Amino acid sequence: MVHEGWLMEALEKLLPVLLAFGCGIVLARRKVVPAESSKAFADYAFLFAVPCYLFGNISTSDLSRLFDWRALTGYAAAAALAVVLIGVFARMLGVRGPREMALRIMAGVQVNTAIFAVPVFIMMFGNAAPVFPVLLFQVCVLSLVIVSIMELGRPGGSGSRARKLRTAVVASLLTPVVVACNAGIVVNLLSLHLPRTVLDSLAFVGDSASPVALFALGLHLGGAGLTVRGTTREEMWLIAFKCVAFPLLAYAVCRFGFGVGGAWLHYLVVIAAMPAPQNLFVFAQRYEVSVDLSAALVVKSSAVALALLPLWMQWAAPAG
């Protein structure tokens, strides 16, 4: 009965997510709203609304509670182990190129934070604060590793590899989401008190991030569609690893390796269960590697992650 109650509670909290997400799918399928417009909605959320939300919340949060270093270290260790496992599996399937390998690691280890995890956490827990440390770790560590491999593996082109790598790293660190997080931390550490009107304005814009991001994802999914019959073996094992194996790995490493429990264990498992990141497709296009595979992984892992989310909510909460 306890588990059934948790499942019902998770489903009830998930209803707003399903409403925004499902509305995007329906409107795209019926061609009421062009699926191509999903990029405009996603850009608004990623480049403006989410940074407003992150800056406003981080600047006023208790950083000692926000950055639980044992929990974050446990998650980083689980991610490192996942990188090794994906590398081994990819080589077994014949993947040899460094850029192809890096893209598959990105698909299996990184999570869709700004467009998926932030709105889901707001809907499910009323706050997306637990996502912030993982988001910073992902962008400032994992993404920089991926960018480095991609740039160093890029053939030819103008300019030295070192210069291209430096440009890519700087561009990654200057994305609005990263700037907002770092600026919020600085304001918090310096104990700067922003005017209430500024915080209210940031909250007003930030509150729109969740429904707009989920609506954009629904539009994208509705336009792309899902072809289950055409799913390749590689797609299946990457989606299974991202949506099932990685959350279980995060649970095992964090709980038994680092003694993480309670709410943080719950949060980390749910974060790990988020789908492949939206910028996987952006990276694939930019570096001209496995573009079709990346598009399929973003769309299909999003659908699978959304379907499994109530089960992770039910399983992880009592376990902590």
Side-chain angles (χ1 to χ4, degrees):
M1 293 297 294
V2 175
H3 292 290
E4 291 179 4
W6 248 102
L7 182 58
M8 288 303 300
E9 183 179 347
L11 289 172
E12 289 174 1
K13 290 183 177 181
L14 197 58
L15 282 178
V17 177
L18 295 173
L19 180 62
F21 186 74
C23 181
I25 294 176
V26 171
L27 293 181
R29 287 287 178 86
R30 292 180 175 273
K31 302 189 184 303
V32 176
V33 179
E36 297 77 21
S37 64
S38 64
K39 185 179 186 305
F41 287 103
D43 284 346
Y44 165 81
F46 182 71
L47 299 176
F48 184 50
V50 170
C52 286
Y53 177 86
L54 293 174
F55 176 77
N57 280 271
I58 292 176
S59 62
T60 57
S61 295
D62 181 355
L63 292 183
S64 62
R65 294 186 59 187
L66 184 61
F67 286 85
D68 186 312
W69 293 108
R70 183 170 61 174
L72 187 57
T73 303
Y75 186 89
L81 182 56
V83 167
V84 174
L85 292 175
I86 292 175
V88 171
F89 292 153
R91 286 191 69 85
M92 290 173 59
L93 289 177
V95 178
R96 293 293 182 268
R99 292 187 302 156
E100 288 79 4
M101 184 73 73
L103 197 77
R104 284 152 180 80
I105 289 173
M106 186 178 183
V109 179
Q110 291 208 38
V111 300
N112 193 328
T113 49
I115 305 298
F116 204 100
V118 167
V120 165
F121 265 67
I122 293 174
M123 298 295 185
M124 302 293 283
F125 303 110
N127 195 337
V131 179
F132 303 159
V134 173
L135 188 153
L136 284 174
F137 162 72
Q138 184 165 277
V139 174
C140 297
V141 179
L142 293 177
S143 288
L144 292 187
V145 173
I146 299 298
V147 167
S148 300
I149 296 174
M150 291 290 192
E151 285 294 338
L152 294 175
R154 191 208 292 261
S158 59
S160 66
R161 286 185 177 181
R163 183 177 180 180
K164 289 188 289 185
L165 176 60
R166 183 170 61 252
T167 301
V169 169
V170 170
S172 178
L173 291 175
L174 290 181
T175 56
V177 169
V178 179
V179 171
C181 288
N182 289 327
I185 292 173
V186 171
V187 170
N188 193 307
L189 292 176
L190 294 177
S191 299
L192 299 177
H193 297 287
L194 299 176
R196 173 50 56 183
T197 53
V198 173
L199 293 176
D200 288 344
S201 298
L202 292 171
F204 176 77
V205 175
D207 287 344
S208 68
S210 300
V212 171
L214 290 167
F215 179 73
L217 196 60
L219 281 177
H220 177 73
L221 179 59
L226 286 176
T227 54
V228 179
R229 285 187 177 181
T231 302
T232 65
R233 185 177 65 167
E234 186 175 29
E235 287 176 24
M236 287 190 288
W237 80 258
L238 279 170
I239 292 171
F241 189 95
K242 177 69 216 63
C243 297
V244 179
F246 187 41
L248 292 174
L249 186 64
Y251 170 81
V253 172
C254 291
R255 185 179 188 188
F256 301 112
F258 290 83
V260 180
W264 265 108
L265 182 62
H266 186 193
Y267 296 149
L268 293 177
V269 170
V270 175
I271 289 173
M274 295 293 106
Q278 191 82 358
N279 61 350
L280 179 72
F281 182 65
V282 176
F283 272 57
Q285 283 187 314
R286 176 171 181 171
Y287 295 104
E288 299 179 348
V289 51
S290 304
V291 176
D292 292 338
L293 173 67
S294 300
L297 289 174
V298 170
V299 172
K300 294 177 183 179
S301 67
S302 297
V304 173
L306 193 61
L308 294 178
L309 190 56
L311 300 179
W312 288 119
M313 290 289 296
Q314 178 196 14
W315 179 79

